[in-house]
Structures are given as C-alpha cells and as structure tokens.
C-alpha cells in the first residue's frame, strides 16, 4: 500500500519495507518502461510493452476504408506485464485514497476490514469491466444476432477494444496474485481467493488463446454484473447491517446467470461449432474446432458452474441457520418469565425454624385454664 507517510522506516528490502513501498517500486519500473520511448534504441522494446501488438490491416470492400484488426502472439506477454504494473498502482491508489478513509470512519473489526477491502477493490473492477464489456457488445449487436458466437470460426481477428479488454482482464487477475502478499491477506482467506483468481485466469486466457473471445465476452458481462451486485451489497452491509435487500436480488440474478452461462455454452459447443465449415485442428490457422477441445471446454465451464452453485447453496444455508438462531434467541428473550411457586410449610407446623401453634386463645386465657 504505497503513497503513505510512515513514521518509522523498516529495514531496506525487508518484507515490511517491500509491502509498504511496493506501489512506489512498481511506479518506478513503469516509468522506466515509459522513458524507453524517448530513445530510438529502446523505443522498439518499450512499444512492445505499452501498445497492443500484431495488428493486421484488412480491406473488406473496394469502396470501404481499411480496417485495423489484431491477432494474439507471444509479445502479448510483455503487454500483459506492463498493464499488470498499472493494475498494482491503481490498486494502491484505490486502497489509500478511498477504502482506507472509509475504514477509519466505520471502525470495522479485522475480519470485516479484510472483506471490506476485498469487496471495495472488486466492486470497482467489476463496475469498470461491466461498462466496458457492454459498450463492446453494443457495437457487436449481439442481441439481434446471437449466432455470431460461432459463425466464421476461427475468430482469429479482433478489433482493438476486444483485444485490449482481454489484455487488461488477464493483467488484472494476474496482479491479484502478488496482492495477496502486499495486502497481508489472512492465511484462512488465501485458499478461497486463490480459487477464484486461478479460475478467472484459466477461463479468460483459454477464451483468448482458443479464439473464443466472443463467447468469453458474452459470458463475462452478466457474470460481472452479478458479482458487482454482491460486493456492492456487502459494502452496504458493512456500513449498516440492516441493509440486506441487495443480497436477495443478488441470489436471484446469480441463479439466472448460471443458467444463462450453461445455455450459451451448450448452444455454442454442442450445436454451433460442430456445424461450422472449418472443422479440424490447426495451430497456424488458430483453429481448435475438434470434438476433444469442444468437450473439454464445455466440461470445464459446467464443472465451474456446478462448483459455484455448490458454494452458493452452502452460503444460503449458512445464512438461513444464522437467521433461525437469531429468531429463536429473540423469542426466548420475549417470552414471559414463569411465576415462582409458593413455598410449602414444613412438617409439624414449622416454617423458617419457627413453630406455630394452632391454639388461637390469648396467653392469659391459657394460663387461667391451666390453673
């Protein structure tokens, strides 16, 4: 978490020093790459990091203007690395100037503090990616022509926005791995975060490499909307525990998104791609339209959706149990207290150590009677 004023400086190159100053170090590295553009000798290497590579100019019609399209290749690794650095810097800025200030006002516990930071970072990313993805899909006009998911496969050429979108997506999820160390994530939270980070990296990279970027983009947009709603609802919940209506809407949209993902995946891999003209496997042409790869991709998507539904059901059951326990405890507190029973007198007319006589005559009458 860089850009902070520290009272005590830890030893240079120690763990604490790297954690506190990682954003400053990354900023220096990014500046060095940018400065490479100023010199002719290093400019060609710096451009490989900063700009999108493998552009191809195509002329669709004789009357139309040439169109710049893009392919993927090994040089994309350098571009992903540079924007990974940018993601680390933006992560530190959001943490320092937004989330930390909100945490100081809310006075959250350590557990809620960690979850609040996680939801704040992811909500910002999901919002940005959802808006960006919607703008791309609007230009592609997917709503009126859903067959564009498989028509003309392999889709080896991409417009600039699509390729840059995937570069940024891969860079962001790869940057989340070192952030587990930089943000001092608790050990019990690391496995959970590693699961979904690795799933994002594998699925997005797979769609990019296998030339399935159209399907990947269509599946990411509704998924990001659902995740945005969840993390936004969790942020509101941490500010006020009575604000839980967002979770109900999230639960409904979560199930719809899973059904939509399965439907489009089965439609694409089961019916669309098997009927296209280009069948076969060719690395040079970027064609991966064979039964083995199609079934592997479909199985990976189905297993991921099943795992997400399993986690969702367990989450809902846990919330239901907590709600039932809270309701039961409230009923016990409201129920009237039982009235105490009257204490029965002891045998022989003695109560509390005092013997009571059944003779109700006065002492003088008893004395005269005895004489």
């Amino acid at each position: 978490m860089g850009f902070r004023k520290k009272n005590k400086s830890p030893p240079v190159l120690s763990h604490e020093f790297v954690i506190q100053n990682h954003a400053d170090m990354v900023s220096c590295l990014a500046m060095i790459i940018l400065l490479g553009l100023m010199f002719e000798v290093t400019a060609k290497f710096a451009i490989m990091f900063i700009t999108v590579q493998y552009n191809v100019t195509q002329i669709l019609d004789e009357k139309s203007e040439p169109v710049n399209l893009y392919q993927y290749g090994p040089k994309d690794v350098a571009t992903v690395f540079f924007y990974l650095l940018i993601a680390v810097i933006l992560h530190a800025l959001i943490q320092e100037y937004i989330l930390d200030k909100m945490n100081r006002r809310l006075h959250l516990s350590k557990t809620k503090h960690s979850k609040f930071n996680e939801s704040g970072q992811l909500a910002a990313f999901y919002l940005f990616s959802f808006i960006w993805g919607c703008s791309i899909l609007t230009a592609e006009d997917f709503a009126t022509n859903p067959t564009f998911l498989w028509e003309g496969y392999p889709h080896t050429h991409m417009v600039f926005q699509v390729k840059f979108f995937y570069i940024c997506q891969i860079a962001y999820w790869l940057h989340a791995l070192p952030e587990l160390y930089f943000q001092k994530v608790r050990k019990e939270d690391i496995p959970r975060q590693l699961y979904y980070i690795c799933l994002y990296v594998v699925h997005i990279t797979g769609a990019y490499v296998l030339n399935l970027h159209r399907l990947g983009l269509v599946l990411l947009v509704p998924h990001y909307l659902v995740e945005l709603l969840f993390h936004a609802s969790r942020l509101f919940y941490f500010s006020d525990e009575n604000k839980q209506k967002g979770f109900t809407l999230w639960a409904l949209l979560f199930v719809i998104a899973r059904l939509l993902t399965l439907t489009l995946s089965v439609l694409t891999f089961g019916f669309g791609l098997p009927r296209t003209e280009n069948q076969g496997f060719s690395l040079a042409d970027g064609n991966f339209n064979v039964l083995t790869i199609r079934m592997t991709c479909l199985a990976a998507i189905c297993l991921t959706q099943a795992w997400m539904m399993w986690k969702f059901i367990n989450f809902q059951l846990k919330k239901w149990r907590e709600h039932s326990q809270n309701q039961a405890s409230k009923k016990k507190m409201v129920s009237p207290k039982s009235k105490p029973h009257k204490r029965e007198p002891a045998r022989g007319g003695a109560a509390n150590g005092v013997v009571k006589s059944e003779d109700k005559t006065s002492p003088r009458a008893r004395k005269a009677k005895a004489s």
Side-chain angles (χ1 to χ4, degrees), residues 59 134 150 155 157 209 222 242-243 249 294 312 326 339:
I59 300 176
C134 286
W150 58 81
H155 307 135
H157 296 92
V209 173
N242 294 323
K243 297 179 180 179
L249 179 60
R294 290 199 304 265
F312 172 77
N326 292 334
K339 296 181 179 180

Side-chain angles (χ1 to χ4, degrees), residues 224-240:
Y224 280 170
L225 174 62
V226 175
E227 293 300 309
L228 170 62
L229 181 60
F230 171 76
H231 289 286
S233 300
R234 193 156 73 163
L235 290 175
F236 285 116
Y237 172 76
F238 288 144
S239 62
D240 186 0

Side-chain angles (χ1 to χ4, degrees), residues 125-338:
F125 170 73
Y126 288 138
L127 177 61
F128 175 75
S129 298
F130 174 73
I131 296 173
W132 191 3
C134 286
S135 65
I136 297 174
L137 288 180
T138 303
E140 294 286 348
D141 200 14
F142 165 70
T144 58
N145 185 24
T147 58
F148 98 110
L149 291 174
W150 58 81
E151 280 185 351
Y153 184 86
H155 307 135
T156 55
H157 296 92
M158 298 170 278
V159 297
F160 173 80
Q161 289 292 334
V162 173
K163 176 158 185 174
F164 192 50
F165 177 84
Y166 272 92
I167 292 291
C168 292
Q169 293 294 313
I170 297 172
Y172 180 86
W173 290 114
L174 286 177
H175 112 280
L177 294 174
E179 285 294 343
L180 297 177
Y181 170 73
F182 294 146
Q183 298 297 326
K184 295 183 178 180
V185 177
R186 299 184 308 164
K187 291 183 178 179
E188 53 269 25
D189 291 337
I190 290 178
R192 175 182 59 84
Q193 296 190 27
L194 274 178
Y195 285 150
Y196 72 74
I197 291 172
C198 293
L199 284 174
Y200 276 118
V201 172
V202 170
H203 283 74
I204 295 174
T205 306
Y208 183 68
V209 173
L210 297 177
N211 291 317
L212 296 169
H213 51 84
R214 295 183 181 180
L215 177 64
L217 183 61
V218 171
L219 297 182
L220 276 177
V221 169
H223 174 74
Y224 280 170
L225 174 62
V226 175
E227 293 300 309
L228 170 62
L229 181 60
F230 171 76
H231 289 286
S233 300
R234 193 156 73 163
L235 290 175
F236 285 116
Y237 172 76
F238 288 144
S239 62
D240 186 0
E241 294 186 356
N242 294 323
K243 297 179 180 179
Q244 301 186 21
K245 294 182 179 179
F247 291 109
T248 304
L249 179 60
W250 164 76
L252 177 62
L253 293 180
F254 182 90
V255 177
I256 295 175
R258 303 286 72 78
L259 294 175
L260 179 63
T261 300
L262 291 174
T263 302
L264 292 178
S265 300
V266 172
L267 188 64
T268 302
F269 293 110
F271 298 97
L273 290 177
R275 298 180 181 180
T276 56
E277 297 179 357
N278 295 325
Q279 300 287 329
F281 178 81
S282 176
L283 287 175
D285 298 332
N287 189 5
F288 304 94
N289 193 6
V290 292
L291 179 62
T292 304
I293 296 179
R294 290 199 304 265
M295 291 300 100
T296 302
C297 294
L298 183 60
I301 294 174
C302 292
L303 289 175
T304 303
Q305 302 307 305
W307 178 76
M308 293 176 67
M309 281 300 301
W310 175 255
K311 300 289 288 184
F312 172 77
I313 292 171
N314 288 334
F315 176 79
Q316 295 297 328
L317 289 176
K318 181 181 177 181
K319 290 295 182 182
W320 179 76
R321 292 193 194 100
E322 292 177 355
H323 179 72
S324 300
Q325 292 176 358
N326 292 334
Q327 293 295 327
S329 60
K330 288 180 180 180
K331 288 182 180 180
K332 289 181 180 180
M333 294 176 63
V334 173
S335 60
K337 296 182 180 180
S338 57

